[in-house]
Amino acid sequence: MARTEYLSKATHAQTRAHNAALVLRALYDLGPISRADVARLTGLTRTSVGELVADLERDGLAQDVGRGPSTGGKQPTLVALKDDARTVITLDLGERTFTAALANLRGELTTKRTGELEGRDGHQAVQLVHELIDDVRREATSPLLGIGVGTPGVVDADGTIRWAVNLDWQDLPLARILEERHGLPAVVANDSRAAALATYLFGGDERPQNLVVIKVGRGVGAGIILRDQLFGGDGDGAGEIGHVVVDPDGIECHCGRFGCLETVASVPAVVRAAGTASFGELVDRTTAGDDRVLPVVLAAGRAIGAAIAGLTGALDVRHITIVGSATALGDPWFSAIRDEAGRRSLGPLARDTRIIDGGTGEDVTLLGACALLLTRELGLTVHR
Ligand SMILES: [Zn+2]
């Protein structure tokens, strides 16, 4: 085959895949919708749209769902995505427990299973991942699209976990291991980045183009969406704010340095500094306005607020959502965050920045892992 012919074939295939993804995305975001509107919104011809929708219907991903209002001629047929047409296996690798679930194309979760990590070494932890996948997979009622995984730690774009605290994992190519063992596409990403994508994809009708989601729980991390894409940076470490040193005279962090944001603002750090028996007790005493714990809670909030000011100053992103167990600290904590972010930012930026309580989000990592896989695989290859 001549080079030009080869290139032209490759380009044609890429164009078709790109167009198919455009149509699918239009159905996903805007369906039920007429083919004419899909053509208008995507800039594709009506013939192309007709063919691509026919492909999706043949694959069982889309279906006609009745007629829409007439705009002069006859009423157009509306087409919509079938939300239950595919199943995603989604996993949240927490620091104490692993959870697996099944999700449909809208991130609706079913068949949740949890396994305790206690006493397992790194190898046994990988075995637990396999067991959970095998366990939920049996319950799938539609073709599997793949496996999405959210994990704490630093993860490469190819799904290699560079470093995960508490899991004894270093340079573990988890995505490849899962693809080989389970015969499905797999994507693995940091849990904060997964949370950002969940907020973006499943967060409701208003979908900001730029968004920062900060997850504050056992760790502290951010996920950054820029122009509708998860931003990774040069080494897929974008958003690793938890290990930026905020107090050079502070206490030692598990990463080996002193005074990282996590040593001041993570849930274990705040509980330790406040001297309460549990996080629940800290929340109760904070809510009651107890002067013995409030200064610690407010200092933690201010540290998060300072980190936000750094992010908004660099990126000019005005939608900030905070998720994770720490959000249970409520108004005093959020006020400290907002005040400090505002105090440290340029006036107009501070005025327009919205810092939203995204809730404790028990399922946010599961949803995020699902969103990761959906956004990568929305070419929607079928694996049975
Ligand atoms: Zn650290």
Side-chain angles (χ1 to χ4, degrees):
M1 190 188 300
R3 183 166 180 270
T4 46
E5 190 191 342
Y6 168 73
L7 286 178
S8 131
K9 277 196 173 175
T11 311
H12 182 73
Q14 279 167 4
T15 306
R16 191 169 173 87
H18 176 72
N19 291 346
L22 279 178
V23 169
L24 190 66
R25 188 69 195 248
L27 297 185
Y28 192 85
D29 289 343
L30 305 165
I33 184 172
S34 70
R35 287 163 177 77
D37 279 343
V38 173
R40 191 171 54 75
L41 290 163
T42 57
L44 299 172
T45 65
R46 290 178 75 152
T47 312
S48 291
V49 169
E51 285 172 12
L52 292 165
V53 168
D55 285 351
L56 292 173
E57 291 191 328
R58 198 163 39 244
D59 288 343
L61 277 162
Q63 63 186 352
D64 287 353
V65 290
R67 294 187 175 276
S70 164
T71 51
K74 68 171 192 177
Q75 291 178 299
T77 305
L78 300 182
V79 58
L81 195 75
K82 287 166 79 173
D83 295 344
D84 294 323
R86 297 289 184 274
T87 299
V88 173
I89 297 172
T90 177
L91 286 108
D92 172 3
L93 309 186
E95 291 184 7
R96 288 180 179 167
T97 57
F98 287 176
T99 305
L102 298 178
N104 72 0
L105 297 176
R106 296 289 174 193
E108 288 158 359
L109 300 172
T110 53
T111 316
K112 217 187 274 186
R113 299 274 191 278
T114 295
E116 299 290 330
L117 258 183
E118 199 177 354
R120 292 176 188 253
D121 63 17
H123 175 74
Q124 290 165 331
V126 175
Q127 292 309 310
L128 177 59
V129 173
H130 291 322
E131 286 164 23
L132 288 167
I133 291 172
D134 289 339
D135 199 5
V136 295
R137 182 175 190 157
R138 281 192 282 274
E139 308 290 327
T141 53
S142 68
L144 292 164
L145 196 59
I147 304 167
V149 181
T151 173
V154 180
V155 187
D156 281 355
D158 70 356
T160 298
I161 298 172
R162 285 291 162 225
W163 178 68
V165 188
N166 292 6
L167 287 178
D168 184 21
W169 284 349
Q170 272 189 29
D171 297 328
L172 178 79
L174 187 61
R176 187 168 57 75
I177 290 169
L178 296 181
E179 287 185 346
E180 285 171 2
R181 164 76 156 69
H182 299 279
L184 291 166
V187 56
V188 181
N190 169 271
D191 56 356
S192 300
R193 301 181 65 200
L197 211 53
T199 308
Y200 173 79
L201 196 64
F202 306 131
D205 293 336
E206 188 202 9
R207 190 177 288 168
Q209 224 190 354
N210 304 310
L211 170 72
V212 171
V213 175
I214 298 176
K215 189 162 181 264
V216 190
R218 296 190 60 77
V220 181
I224 302 166
I225 307 273
L226 294 179
R227 305 216 163 162
D228 300 304
Q229 302 275 337
L230 193 58
F231 178 71
D234 281 336
D236 283 291
E240 274 294 327
I241 58 173
H243 297 283
V244 173
V245 173
V246 297
D247 178 8
D249 301 322
I251 60 173
E252 189 171 9
C253 181
H254 50 66
C255 75
R257 280 167 304 169
F258 289 82
C260 293
L261 180 59
E262 278 195 13
T263 67
V264 179
S266 68
V267 163
V270 183
V271 168
R272 192 171 51 234
T276 54
S278 67
F279 183 58
E281 183 193 331
L282 179 62
V283 170
D284 291 344
R285 286 172 62 176
T286 301
T287 310
D290 184 335
D291 286 340
R292 284 163 298 176
V293 301
L294 268 177
V296 172
V297 169
L298 300 184
R302 284 195 298 272
I304 304 274
I308 289 174
L311 284 168
T312 53
L315 300 171
D316 188 18
V317 172
R318 299 176 189 196
H319 287 86
I320 312 281
T321 300
I322 302 181
V323 300
S325 50
T327 58
L329 290 167
D331 276 343
W333 186 71
F334 271 102
S335 296
I337 292 173
R338 292 188 181 110
D339 290 349
E340 191 68 11
R343 209 170 60 77
R344 289 177 180 246
S345 305
L346 212 58
L349 251 176
R351 198 178 52 232
D352 294 342
T353 300
R354 287 198 298 153
I355 299 174
I356 294 164
D357 177 358
T360 51
E362 189 193 326
D363 290 333
V364 75
T365 304
L366 287 173
L367 293 174
C370 174
L372 281 162
L373 190 89
L374 287 177
T375 50
R376 201 185 73 171
E377 292 292 317
L378 270 185
L380 294 177
T381 327
V382 185
H383 296 263
R384 288 171 199 280

